[in-house]
Amino acid sequence: MRELLSEGIRSTPASFVRGILKVAADPSIISFAGGLPNPISFPQDALSESMQRIVKDYGSKVFQYSLTAGLPELRRYIAQRYKAKHGLDITEDEIIITTGSQQALDLIAKVLLDRGDGVVVENPTYLAAIQAFSMSMPKFYPVDLNDEGMDVDGLRRALENDVKFVYAIPNFQNPTGLTYSAACRERVFAALDERDTVLIEDDPYGELMFGGTRLPYIGAGRLKNSILLGTFSKTCTPGMRTGYIVCKNAELMKHISVAKEASDLHTNIFSQYLIYDYLTHNDYDAHISRITELYRKQADAMISAMRKYFPPTVGYTEPRGGMFLWVTLPDGMSAMSLFPKALENKVAFVPGDPFYVDRKDANTMRLNFTNADCATIEEGIRRLGAILKSQ
Amino acid sequence: MRELLSEGIRSTPASFVRGILKVAADPSIISFAGGLPNPISFPQDALSESMQRIVKDYGSKVFQYSLTAGLPELRRYIAQRYKAKHGLDITEDEIIITTGSQQALDLIAKVLLDRGDGVVVENPTYLAAIQAFSMSMPKFYPVDLNDEGMDVDGLRRALENDVKFVYAIPNFQNPTGLTYSAACRERVFAALDERDTVLIEDDPYGELMFGGTRLPYIGAGRLKNSILLGTFSKTCTPGMRTGYIVCKNAELMKHISVAKEASDLHTNIFSQYLIYDYLTHNDYDAHISRITELYRKQADAMISAMRKYFPPTVGYTEPRGGMFLWVTLPDGMSAMSLFPKALENKVAFVPGDPFYVDRKDANTMRLNFTNADCATIEEGIRRLGAILKSQ
């Protein structure tokens, strides 16, 4: 069997998170392990209305094959929203709809990576990005995160190598919940300016801001090889798998389009019509406000409970948005080795290991606060605190 | 720019068909170029009913993240259908739902191919399979097709090389419309039996049979490394991008599942619930009968018109199912060079070239008969005949 398999797939780790989803689906377990939006964030009634309307308005078009780049109306809507919210000057031709943001990572790897090419990632970073890039067997250059964002000195050192792209999640990062400061953004921009290196700004959580001022993108609209990724998974519905790539480099987009054709021809067109109709018949911003208000309360509940139940030797981030926070245990304590004990005590988290390209038995863990109510969050953190105190 | 791009993407051709879709969308052009099902094949009213029902029955589950392998109920339905129709003994664990069949080709390439690995394809073959496999830069071994199916002596010669898999479309092949005879199927099976080489039987058109007896699969249920691909695109809706992989080799499926995770996490779950609900609340076989009856008439109309309008030096296949037929022009006549003239005369086809891995200026063309009514088909063939006669 082994000799049949490609080297790429043998280098690609299975997802720890998806692997434990079945375990965590046990209703007696309080799970902070997944990355599921709260079902309340799905505008279910409005989407049901939109379904009826698009079948009536567009007929067989919503069921037929369609364009590789995606529904022009939806791409135009996305472009206009970036203009309105961020002052970015984007046209529909600079947007390709993808089958969730995850596919964007796969397409970018296909278009840019040969074996051994350099990829800079945050340390820690989104585990399924590690997966998507690993298929191409790149060399990873992890750059540490701190409270300000990416360690820019570390980034500059990494860029001395042959690096095809830098992959960053500057807003409410997965897994840490950290957000790059305005100063850090400028310094990352300066490190990449005048270079061919592509900057991928993955922004699935940017809309989930609990308050404060929206910070500008690092590369979007400024760097010649900037790629911005977005999605409707966290603000509308993840089950519909609708994300997108924004990139003003036409040559790069031509190749991404070929990779998209080869990968799945085009993204589900029914979903694209559905989301477009939803966006244009409802107050999307009001809906997002309801979600962020909910998540802010849940994040507060988690942080309050950690203050109450965690030993003082345990640190954690206090995100101002997004879906996750990051716990740091005392040096030398392995979160992975705590995991079976946590399951015994009916609480689940993701140990830090799968978020690193270069660490094992890390003393960190990711907690998701979006998919449980405040009372459940408190009870889960109480259970986790008891385990941590017993170590 | 060039130095940024991967060698894989630089080796991957853009799709000629998708490239001309915009041209062919001009309503004054009669297009035999696409591969679009007739919109009448979409059970639009029944799907609209199913939409309402699944939101009511399953609530937020149809909008949430879901399992990588796909909806268990849908996989069970598919397994039971193969049991009932083909006597195949398959369980839901031996099925992974994919984002259209196209994604299955991408996943298989990822899991099996390193650069330079051998891939046997029919000559000609499905152009987007060439695309999907090209990303991995394999060595293609094209094997000729004849009226019986694959040239098995050619296949045996090709198998003397290091070949990871054989890719075949035994039923109503795209692009030729040819179907392997029972004897040819047995001979292909014998050539692959006792080998590790994977046989991929891609079967998007098998249900679209105009009459006669269903022939058995070559490898499914018999070869240890058999992969069978299916889809709901031709019998229900292509816009929903719902296909699947059937494979009894658990080790291979484990790796395909990791590749699927890395590619798009999972296939649109709303669509999976929708198709499952449609299948279990309607008479799917009766629906398929209506489609095949329609397509049989359209194929007959095309063949009758070709008899009437084509010069006798031009040959063509007479498919007993599927969506396409294949025209062979006199030796030395390039279908590609006729293409601009055809557009001038408001008729479009796909020249043979993109279906070959080793030919240019081929004297062949693919015609699609599913997406125009009989009168339009006759008029299009009349226009095409006039061009052919003027050569």
Side-chain angles (χ1 to χ4, degrees):
Chain A
M1 186 66 215
R2 194 176 155 77
E3 60 277 14
L4 267 181
L5 298 174
S6 69
E7 292 186 55
I9 195 71
R10 281 186 272 141
S11 311
T12 304
S15 164
F16 184 85
V17 172
R18 297 192 76 77
I20 62 170
L21 273 184
K22 277 187 193 170
V23 179
D26 172 350
S28 74
I29 290 180
I30 296 177
S31 177
F32 303 132
L36 301 185
N38 197 311
I40 210 174
S41 71
F42 312 147
Q44 205 164 303
D45 294 340
L47 288 171
S48 288
E49 281 171 30
S50 288
M51 283 170 207
Q52 298 309 297
R53 194 160 40 226
I54 61 173
V55 174
K56 190 164 158 286
D57 289 357
Y58 302 104
S60 62
K61 279 185 182 174
V62 307
F63 299 112
Q64 186 58 286
Y65 283 114
S66 190
L67 298 174
T68 297
L71 185 69
E73 295 91 320
L74 179 59
R75 289 184 282 141
R76 209 141 50 221
Y77 176 95
I78 294 166
Q80 285 163 356
R81 189 169 167 87
Y82 276 110
K83 178 74 180 171
K85 298 271 168 187
H86 299 271
L88 295 181
D89 181 28
I90 298 162
T91 70
E92 67 188 82
D93 294 334
E94 293 159 344
I95 296 174
I96 290 177
I97 305 292
T98 56
T99 304
S101 280
Q102 183 68 30
Q103 187 185 43
L105 304 177
D106 179 55
L107 299 180
I108 289 165
K110 279 174 169 158
V111 166
L112 294 179
L113 295 183
D114 288 312
R115 182 184 302 200
D117 281 348
V119 169
V120 168
V121 291
E122 296 158 335
N123 200 30
T125 188
Y126 172 49
L127 60 83
I130 298 175
Q131 259 197 323
F133 304 153
S134 289
M135 287 290 323
S136 303
M137 304 178 73
K139 173 150 179 46
F140 285 109
Y141 296 97
V143 174
D144 285 344
L145 287 176
N146 55 49
D147 288 347
E148 291 293 301
M150 191 178 261
D151 168 21
V152 183
D153 293 333
L155 171 62
R156 286 187 179 274
R157 279 195 301 278
L159 289 172
E160 287 166 14
N161 302 286
D162 168 29
V163 168
K164 284 283 184 81
F165 63 79
V166 174
Y167 174 72
I169 312 166
N171 296 319
F172 321 122
Q173 199 241 12
N174 181 355
T176 63
L178 292 169
T179 292
Y180 291 25
S181 68
C184 176
R185 285 167 201 248
E186 277 309 308
R187 293 179 65 214
V188 172
F189 171 77
L192 288 167
D193 196 21
E194 316 270 311
R195 299 183 70 107
D196 285 334
T197 312
V198 176
L199 173 66
I200 302 166
E201 287 182 271
D202 192 1
D203 192 30
Y205 314 110
E207 300 270 20
L208 302 179
M209 188 168 56
F210 299 160
T213 317
R214 197 185 285 270
L215 294 172
Y217 287 111
I218 298 168
R222 300 203 290 169
L223 287 174
K224 66 174 175 177
N225 288 335
S226 149
I227 294 179
L228 176 62
L229 307 183
T231 178
F232 295 101
S233 289
K234 319 303 181 192
T235 51
C236 187
T237 161
M240 296 284 177
R241 313 303 303 118
T242 310
Y244 52 87
I245 295 173
V246 180
C247 176
K248 295 183 77 72
N249 180 325
E251 173 81 4
L252 201 48
M253 283 298 254
K254 191 184 79 182
H255 291 284
I256 291 173
S257 174
V258 171
K260 168 78 181 159
E261 270 175 27
S263 297
D264 65 359
L265 299 183
H266 65 82
T267 292
N268 191 310
I269 188 66
F270 178 86
S271 300
Q272 295 183 63
Y273 274 109
L274 181 67
I275 288 173
Y276 173 69
D277 184 275
Y278 165 74
L279 294 169
T280 51
H281 286 83
N282 293 276
D283 187 342
Y284 184 42
D285 284 318
H287 174 68
I288 291 172
S289 295
R290 283 191 293 274
I291 301 174
T292 51
E293 182 57 18
L294 178 75
Y295 289 180
R296 189 182 59 72
K297 281 186 191 149
Q298 292 175 185
D300 286 350
M302 187 170 272
I303 290 164
S304 301
M306 292 194 300
R307 282 199 195 110
K308 193 164 158 191
Y309 297 114
F310 277 15
T313 51
V314 172
Y316 42 85
T317 58
E318 299 193 17
R320 291 164 294 160
M323 300 173 58
F324 305 103
L325 58 76
W326 189 242
V327 175
T328 303
L329 308 176
D331 280 350
M333 190 184 290
S334 158
M336 189 63 88
S337 70
L338 289 183
F339 186 70
K341 192 157 189 179
L343 283 187
E344 270 172 39
N345 288 277
K346 303 291 182 188
V347 60
F349 57 84
V350 186
D353 292 15
F355 301 100
Y356 299 101
V357 294
D358 64 351
R359 283 180 71 179
K360 284 276 165 282
D361 294 316
N363 63 329
T364 48
M365 62 173 77
R366 188 189 77 175
L367 300 183
N368 166 265
F369 52 74
T370 62
N371 197 29
D373 60 46
C374 293
T376 308
I377 286 172
E378 168 152 9
E379 171 58 19
I381 294 295
R382 194 193 59 75
R383 293 179 195 177
L384 205 48
I387 296 164
L388 291 173
K389 282 179 181 159
S390 73
Q391 293 305 301
Chain B
M1 186 65 215
R2 195 176 154 77
E3 60 276 16
L4 267 180
L5 299 173
S6 69
E7 292 187 56
I9 195 70
R10 284 187 270 140
S11 310
T12 304
S15 164
F16 184 84
V17 172
R18 297 191 76 78
I20 63 173
L21 273 184
K22 278 187 191 167
V23 179
D26 172 351
S28 73
I29 290 180
I30 296 177
S31 177
F32 303 132
L36 301 185
N38 197 310
I40 210 174
S41 71
F42 311 147
Q44 205 164 302
D45 294 340
L47 288 171
S48 288
E49 281 171 30
S50 288
M51 283 169 207
Q52 297 309 296
R53 194 157 43 224
I54 61 173
V55 174
K56 190 165 159 285
D57 289 357
Y58 303 104
S60 62
K61 279 185 183 174
V62 307
F63 299 112
Q64 185 58 286
Y65 283 114
S66 190
L67 299 174
T68 297
L71 186 68
E73 295 90 320
L74 179 59
R75 290 185 282 140
R76 210 141 49 223
Y77 176 95
I78 294 166
Q80 285 162 356
R81 189 169 168 87
Y82 277 110
K83 178 74 179 170
K85 298 273 169 187
H86 298 271
L88 295 181
D89 181 27
I90 299 163
T91 70
E92 67 189 82
D93 293 333
E94 294 160 343
I95 296 174
I96 289 177
I97 304 293
T98 56
T99 304
S101 279
Q102 184 67 31
Q103 187 185 43
L105 304 177
D106 179 55
L107 298 179
I108 289 165
K110 279 174 169 158
V111 166
L112 295 178
L113 295 183
D114 288 313
R115 183 184 301 201
D117 281 348
V119 169
V120 169
V121 291
E122 297 158 333
N123 201 29
T125 189
Y126 172 48
L127 59 83
I130 297 175
Q131 258 195 323
F133 304 153
S134 290
M135 287 291 322
S136 302
M137 305 179 72
K139 174 151 178 46
F140 285 110
Y141 296 97
V143 174
D144 285 343
L145 287 175
N146 54 47
D147 289 346
E148 291 293 302
M150 191 178 261
D151 168 21
V152 183
D153 293 334
L155 171 62
R156 286 187 179 274
R157 280 193 302 276
L159 289 173
E160 287 166 14
N161 303 287
D162 168 30
V163 169
K164 283 283 183 79
F165 64 78
V166 174
Y167 174 71
I169 312 165
N171 297 318
F172 322 123
Q173 199 242 10
N174 181 355
T176 63
L178 291 170
T179 291
Y180 291 25
S181 68
C184 176
R185 285 166 200 248
E186 278 308 308
R187 294 179 64 215
V188 171
F189 171 78
L192 288 167
D193 196 21
E194 317 268 313
R195 298 184 70 107
D196 285 333
T197 313
V198 176
L199 173 64
I200 302 165
E201 288 181 270
D202 191 1
D203 192 30
Y205 313 109
E207 300 269 20
L208 303 179
M209 188 170 54
F210 299 161
T213 318
R214 196 186 285 269
L215 293 172
Y217 287 111
I218 297 169
R222 298 204 289 170
L223 287 174
K224 66 175 174 177
N225 288 334
S226 150
I227 293 179
L228 176 63
L229 306 183
T231 177
F232 295 101
S233 289
K234 319 303 181 190
T235 51
C236 187
T237 160
M240 296 284 177
R241 316 302 303 120
T242 309
Y244 52 88
I245 296 173
V246 180
C247 176
K248 295 182 76 72
N249 181 325
E251 173 81 3
L252 201 49
M253 284 297 254
K254 190 184 79 184
H255 291 284
I256 291 173
S257 174
V258 171
K260 169 78 180 157
E261 270 174 27
S263 298
D264 65 359
L265 299 183
H266 66 81
T267 292
N268 191 307
I269 189 64
F270 178 86
S271 300
Q272 294 183 63
Y273 274 110
L274 181 67
I275 289 174
Y276 173 69
D277 185 275
Y278 166 74
L279 293 168
T280 50
H281 286 83
N282 295 276
D283 187 341
Y284 184 42
D285 284 318
H287 175 68
I288 290 173
S289 295
R290 284 191 292 275
I291 301 175
T292 51
E293 182 58 17
L294 178 76
Y295 289 180
R296 188 182 59 71
K297 280 185 193 150
Q298 292 176 183
D300 285 350
M302 187 170 273
I303 289 165
S304 300
M306 292 195 298
R307 282 199 193 108
K308 195 164 155 188
Y309 297 115
F310 276 16
T313 51
V314 172
Y316 42 86
T317 58
E318 299 192 17
R320 290 163 296 160
M323 301 174 58
F324 305 104
L325 58 75
W326 189 242
V327 174
T328 304
L329 308 175
D331 281 350
M333 189 184 290
S334 158
M336 190 63 88
S337 69
L338 289 182
F339 185 72
K341 192 157 188 179
L343 283 187
E344 270 171 40
N345 288 275
K346 302 292 181 188
V347 60
F349 56 84
V350 186
D353 292 14
F355 301 101
Y356 299 100
V357 293
D358 64 350
R359 284 180 70 180
K360 285 276 165 282
D361 294 317
N363 64 328
T364 48
M365 62 172 76
R366 186 189 77 175
L367 301 183
N368 166 264
F369 52 74
T370 61
N371 197 30
D373 61 46
C374 293
T376 308
I377 286 172
E378 168 152 7
E379 173 57 20
I381 293 296
R382 193 193 61 73
R383 293 180 194 176
L384 204 48
I387 295 164
L388 292 172
K389 282 179 182 161
S390 73
Q391 294 305 301

